[in-house]
Amino acid sequence: ESGLLEMKQTGLIDRVIDALGLEDSNDKFTPSEGAPLVKNADGDPASGHFSYSSVVGMLLYLSGHSRPDIAYAVNCCARYMFCPKSNHEKAIKRIGRYLKLTRDRGLVLNPSADKSKLDCYPDADFAGMYGHEIAADPACAKSRTGFVITFADCPVLWVSKLQTETALSTMEAEIIALAHSCRELFPIMDMTKSLSEALSLPIEGTTMNVSIHEDNAGALVLAEKLPPEYTPRSKYYAVKTHWFREEIHKRGITLVKIDTVEQLGDMFTKGLPKATFEYLRKKLMGW
């Protein structure tokens, strides 16, 4: 009656805990450590006490459907699915201990009164593994994209992944993340408009309240400029940003400066301290 819905996958969580042998283990309050999970090529080999790839597969399904709070940690572990080391097993067991603590919780969907409200929260972690990984590994210089898209304040899509190109600045990493999020946001806008027409809902494309919440000042300035304008430090990558900057203006999307502590995308780019993680989880998951 209230419209509130909680999506749970307790059966799958139980399978993960059983596969990892964590029935009597201690709990963890966060799914990942603050330091990034590195390749550790010369580290101790995996013990093989459980099927690493099988557990990662279950966690990917879980994180993609009802538990966005573990998306970052799971993506980090998935990168080493075919060459796991002891530290990767430790990281995946930490996720299991966190799930054991939060076994009975899921994604709470509690739609706001504004059914025409679409929000996107893109963020990036610039070269997050640099200094932690071996310098000869090109992946250590990659930045991470993370974002979540909400409809009526309910999460509908979230992403955490390494960027395929090497950004040379925080601003460039944020622009790459912004462009990636727009590639997902625009089709959702089109689908929402089509569904509203088919179901006779009071949502029109011209009146949709769509906002992109960005916490990087430089990325915000560039995104608000109409092509072919660019900022002095963005001229070498301005061309590939033209399409989404044009679409932002064409579709009437509002770009909003947001405080970093309120940036939901932060959950998908790095391991956060307990207090910060729980604050953003409350805003994202409803608990």
Side-chain angles (χ1 to χ4, degrees), residues 52-127:
Y52 188 91
S53 58
S54 175
V55 174
V56 167
M58 289 188 283
L59 290 174
L60 284 171
Y61 189 85
L62 182 65
S63 66
H65 289 80
S66 64
R67 296 299 298 264
D69 53 327
I70 65 171
Y72 164 75
V74 172
N75 182 268
C76 289
C77 291
R79 294 184 60 234
Y80 311 105
M81 189 181 297
F82 300 106
C83 56
K85 298 291 184 178
S86 177
N87 64 313
H88 304 140
E89 286 186 327
K90 181 180 177 181
I92 212 168
K93 284 185 176 181
R94 183 187 178 101
I95 300 174
R97 291 187 175 98
Y98 170 74
L99 290 173
K100 181 172 174 284
L101 175 67
T102 58
R103 173 188 176 276
D104 297 322
R105 301 313 305 259
L107 179 60
V108 176
L109 302 177
N110 188 17
S112 63
D114 187 356
K115 299 300 187 294
S116 65
K117 186 170 182 254
L118 261 174
D119 292 285
C120 179
Y121 298 85
D123 195 27
D125 181 30
F126 173 60

Side-chain angles (χ1 to χ4, degrees), residues 19-287:
L20 294 173
L22 299 176
E23 292 84 355
D24 300 319
S25 66
N26 296 325
D27 300 332
K28 290 291 184 181
F29 292 101
T30 60
S32 63
E33 297 181 352
L37 186 63
V38 298
K39 189 174 182 178
N40 196 20
D42 299 325
D44 295 333
S47 66
H49 292 158
F50 60 89
S51 173
Y52 188 91
S53 58
S54 175
V55 174
V56 167
M58 289 188 283
L59 290 174
L60 284 171
Y61 189 85
L62 182 65
S63 66
H65 289 80
S66 64
R67 296 299 298 264
D69 53 327
I70 65 171
Y72 164 75
V74 172
N75 182 268
C76 289
C77 291
R79 294 184 60 234
Y80 311 105
M81 189 181 297
F82 300 106
C83 56
K85 298 291 184 178
S86 177
N87 64 313
H88 304 140
E89 286 186 327
K90 181 180 177 181
I92 212 168
K93 284 185 176 181
R94 183 187 178 101
I95 300 174
R97 291 187 175 98
Y98 170 74
L99 290 173
K100 181 172 174 284
L101 175 67
T102 58
R103 173 188 176 276
D104 297 322
R105 301 313 305 259
L107 179 60
V108 176
L109 302 177
N110 188 17
S112 63
D114 187 356
K115 299 300 187 294
S116 65
K117 186 170 182 254
L118 261 174
D119 292 285
C120 179
Y121 298 85
D123 195 27
D125 181 30
F126 173 60
M129 291 188 294
Y130 194 77
H132 298 274
E133 186 60 274
I134 298 174
D137 187 349
C140 76
K142 300 291 186 184
S143 301
R144 177 171 289 272
T145 287
F147 63 86
V148 58
I149 297 174
T150 65
F151 177 68
D153 290 332
C154 296
V156 294
L157 187 147
W158 49 88
V159 168
S160 175
K161 64 181 298 185
L162 282 185
Q163 296 176 357
T164 56
E165 54 193 300
T166 304
L168 300 182
S169 67
T170 301
M171 177 181 169
E172 184 179 359
E174 294 277 356
I175 284 292
I176 293 171
L178 179 55
H180 187 172
S181 67
C182 285
R183 292 200 296 270
E184 303 292 346
L185 175 64
F186 298 158
I188 290 177
M189 291 178 64
D190 297 336
M191 182 178 64
T192 302
K193 183 179 179 181
S194 298
L195 288 174
S196 67
E197 294 172 352
L199 300 175
S200 300
L201 296 175
I203 302 176
E204 298 295 336
T206 55
T207 59
M208 285 181 64
N209 179 17
V210 183
S211 302
I212 297 177
H213 303 262
E214 177 60 59
D215 62 355
N216 182 272
L220 197 64
V221 169
L222 178 61
E224 288 179 329
K225 287 181 177 293
L226 268 174
E229 291 184 71
Y230 54 82
T231 59
R233 294 191 179 185
S234 68
K235 57 186 176 183
Y236 67 95
Y237 59 86
V239 174
K240 64 186 175 186
T241 71
H242 284 184
W243 72 274
F244 83 81
R245 290 157 61 195
E246 291 170 348
E247 286 292 317
I248 284 175
H249 285 270
K250 188 191 307 180
R251 293 171 179 265
I253 296 173
T254 304
L255 285 162
V256 181
K257 181 73 170 72
I258 187 173
D259 197 317
T260 300
V261 298
E262 302 290 334
Q263 175 59 279
L264 294 180
D266 213 24
M267 285 188 69
F268 302 93
T269 60
K270 60 181 77 71
L272 299 173
K274 178 176 178 287
T276 306
F277 177 81
E278 290 181 347
Y279 175 75
L280 292 176
R281 185 184 65 189
K282 173 70 175 176
K283 293 173 68 68
L284 179 71
M285 305 281 291
W287 49 273

